Amino acid sequence: MSTDSEIIRRSLDQPAAFAELFDRHARAVNAFAAYRVGRSAAEDVLSETLLVAFRRRADFDSGVESALPWLLGIASRLIRRHRAVEAKHWQSFAASITQQDHSSLGGLDEAMSRVDAEREVATMKIRIAALAPRDRETLLLYAWHGLSYEEISEALGVPVGTVRSRLNRVRKRLDSGRRIRAFDKQEQKGETVGRV
């Protein structure tokens, strides 16, 4: 199987080869964009990301095997144009959590557990929406896409120390008394993330 770097090099002479890169990473880029700006804008971000990547494919660092951090970095920059839409998306999501009707087939304890979980999700969504855009972007790349600190650094064009500082700040802002599950998941993969 070809690496992303090989596909991009081949696409310089054979532009149609770039479609392999699209097939390989479109789902991840689209999911990242959907988390950030909603489904309707995500397709536009995906299209723009791949168009920009195709135009700039000669600039890709051929020493890097995976193009995913590069593509997510392009998507992140494009998403910045959609910040107003992003804020509305988070606010409407938080509002919809409180307005949903739920039926319970289980007992009272189960119903109360669901209500508590809904409140926690709504609170967490509001806290995430309140983060500085740079911090929110770093969190989403880390927690939802499972990128390493180094990959986030590459995607956002910032030093690894900046990524560490942002995630530390996010941990403190989101939950002062408990650990965040997404960070626990990364810890299980072997990365040191510290405790909240």
Side-chain angles (χ1 to χ4, degrees):
M1 176 147 88
S2 300
T3 65
D4 292 349
S5 183
E6 292 168 346
I7 292 169
I8 291 172
R9 275 196 304 268
R10 193 169 63 245
S11 76
L12 294 173
D13 295 326
Q14 303 167 358
F18 195 80
E20 289 179 58
L21 198 69
F22 174 85
D23 293 340
R24 194 173 281 184
H25 297 298
R27 177 178 276 174
V29 173
N30 189 57
F32 173 70
Y35 286 131
R36 299 298 314 281
V37 294
R39 289 183 183 168
S40 60
E43 291 181 13
D44 293 337
V45 170
L46 172 63
S47 298
E48 290 177 60
T49 298
L50 293 167
L51 182 61
V52 168
F54 179 77
R55 289 179 181 157
R56 295 184 182 167
R57 67 191 188 281
D59 298 333
F60 180 74
D61 181 0
S62 61
V64 177
E65 286 189 19
S66 175
L68 184 59
W70 178 61
L71 292 170
L72 291 175
I74 293 170
S76 291
R77 287 184 287 282
L78 292 170
I79 285 169
R80 289 181 191 135
R81 296 180 189 169
H82 298 278
R83 286 223 169 120
V85 174
E86 176 186 357
K88 289 179 185 177
H89 173 72
W90 284 107
Q91 290 168 356
S92 67
F93 181 80
S96 72
I97 290 291
T98 60
Q99 295 173 357
Q100 290 178 353
D101 291 335
H102 293 279
S103 63
S104 174
L105 301 176
L108 182 59
D109 289 340
E110 186 179 325
M112 292 307 290
S113 293
R114 280 197 301 271
V115 168
D116 289 343
E118 287 173 11
R119 285 184 190 142
E120 190 158 333
V121 166
T123 300
M124 188 60 72
K125 294 299 177 187
I126 291 167
R127 288 179 178 174
I128 290 172
L131 291 172
R134 290 181 292 201
D135 292 345
R136 186 171 51 245
E137 184 172 55
T138 303
L139 170 66
L140 296 178
L141 288 170
Y142 183 75
W144 285 341
H145 283 281
L147 295 186
S148 69
Y149 289 172
E150 291 76 17
E151 290 172 325
I152 295 169
S153 169
E154 181 182 330
L156 299 179
V158 299
V160 174
T162 300
V163 172
R164 290 182 193 285
S165 296
R166 287 179 184 176
L167 289 175
N168 187 46
R169 185 170 44 248
V170 165
R171 283 184 198 101
K172 289 177 183 175
R173 298 250 352 245
L174 289 182
D175 199 355
S176 60
R178 294 174 290 143
R179 293 168 50 167
I180 298 170
R181 284 188 201 148
F183 294 141
D184 290 343
K185 184 175 155 185
Q186 284 296 63
E187 212 170 41
Q188 290 171 359
K189 288 182 181 179
E191 290 192 12
T192 303
V193 294
R195 304 206 180 264
V196 193

